[in-house]
Amino acid sequence: ATSFFGATNGQRLSFSIWDFGSQRGAYNLNHLVMVKSGIYLLVISSVLLNNPEFKEKELDNIKFWLDTIRFYAPNASVLIALTSNIANTNTQCIDKTLRASLSISDQIITDDNGLCCFAVENAAPPVRNKCISSIRKAIQKCVMEKKHIERKMSFRWLVCLDMMLKSSSTFITLSKVKEIARNMEIRSSEEVENMLH
């Protein structure tokens, strides 16, 4: 799915949203879709974190994802969304738990109060959910601060992308990508890698 946010300079930003977190069988393939400069939204459950029976397992799960993101996308930012029933959630307490149990780094996007997680009320429709608006603003701000947003894109890269998207297959092999790139006079492996990231 793709979502759009209005940018502060009047341009519109396009975001591709990929959900690949819950498919345990695909964990070994995560590095193939993780981009170095992405923004990762880690959705966690306040119910599990508040339940002593599940708390350690949920913290291990969060640690796994933070470590995976740090390893494959060291320049990426991470926003932690806490699903909850706002009335029964102490976000500050969960923030303390996360900070005490995990290595919270500069990669983590904080909310306006400096908390390392954004509480999202499950029952509220997205239009009326103030936290959804806060998450959108935080993502937009983070993107606009990234240096790569201003990076110039080679026209040849865009033509390669168009050619890849014309494929009727649900996937494209790296050898096919390299072949398309060669046809566009992109010969170095480094440029192909830069084009893909």
Side-chain angles (χ1 to χ4, degrees):
T2 302
S3 182
F4 295 93
F5 298 91
T8 54
N9 62 3
Q11 296 177 332
R12 292 178 64 81
L13 301 174
S14 173
F15 292 86
S16 294
I17 301 170
W18 295 61
D19 176 6
F20 58 91
S22 60
Q23 296 84 15
R24 285 200 178 273
Y27 284 0
N28 291 334
L29 303 175
N30 287 340
H31 67 283
L32 299 175
V33 294
M34 297 181 85
V35 293
K36 297 175 189 174
S37 55
I39 297 177
Y40 293 90
L41 178 64
L42 181 58
V43 181
I44 62 176
S45 168
S46 66
V47 173
L48 295 176
L49 280 175
N50 285 324
N51 185 326
E53 184 179 344
F54 299 107
K55 181 178 180 177
E56 285 307 312
K57 186 175 180 182
E58 184 69 356
L59 286 170
D60 286 344
N61 191 33
I62 297 165
K63 183 179 182 326
F64 167 81
W65 282 109
L66 290 176
D67 289 347
T68 299
I69 294 166
R70 283 186 191 119
F71 185 79
Y72 291 113
N75 298 323
S77 298
V78 180
L79 188 142
I80 300 174
L82 180 67
T83 62
S84 64
N85 175 344
I86 298 292
N88 297 326
T89 300
N90 185 336
T91 308
Q92 289 178 335
C93 181
I94 290 177
D95 176 81
K96 286 179 186 174
T97 298
L98 292 174
R99 289 178 188 276
S101 305
L102 307 168
S103 174
I104 300 298
S105 68
D106 290 342
Q107 276 185 293
I108 306 296
I109 300 169
T110 56
D111 73 1
D112 291 339
N113 299 315
L115 300 177
C116 69
C117 55
F118 291 71
V120 179
E121 186 177 358
N122 292 346
V127 175
R128 291 198 333 247
N129 196 325
K130 290 179 184 175
C131 190
I132 297 294
S133 177
S134 296
I135 289 172
R136 285 182 177 169
K137 287 178 186 172
I139 290 172
Q140 178 184 346
K141 181 177 184 260
C142 179
V143 167
M144 297 310 291
E145 290 173 353
K146 298 256 182 204
K147 291 179 182 160
H148 71 271
I149 194 78
E150 299 295 329
R151 189 172 108 188
K152 304 260 187 250
M153 301 298 291
S154 163
F155 182 69
R156 294 182 305 170
W157 293 5
L158 298 174
V159 173
C160 287
L161 176 61
D162 286 343
M163 293 171 74
M164 287 185 273
L165 292 173
K166 287 180 183 176
S167 171
S168 59
S169 178
T170 56
F171 69 93
I172 187 168
T173 64
L174 184 56
S175 61
K176 181 66 175 171
V177 170
K178 288 179 178 180
E179 178 186 324
I180 291 169
R182 274 192 307 275
N183 290 337
M184 290 304 303
E185 303 296 323
I186 298 171
R187 304 247 182 252
S188 77
S189 295
E190 183 180 350
E191 187 174 358
V192 171
E193 185 178 326
N194 286 333
M195 176 181 71
L196 294 174
H197 289 130

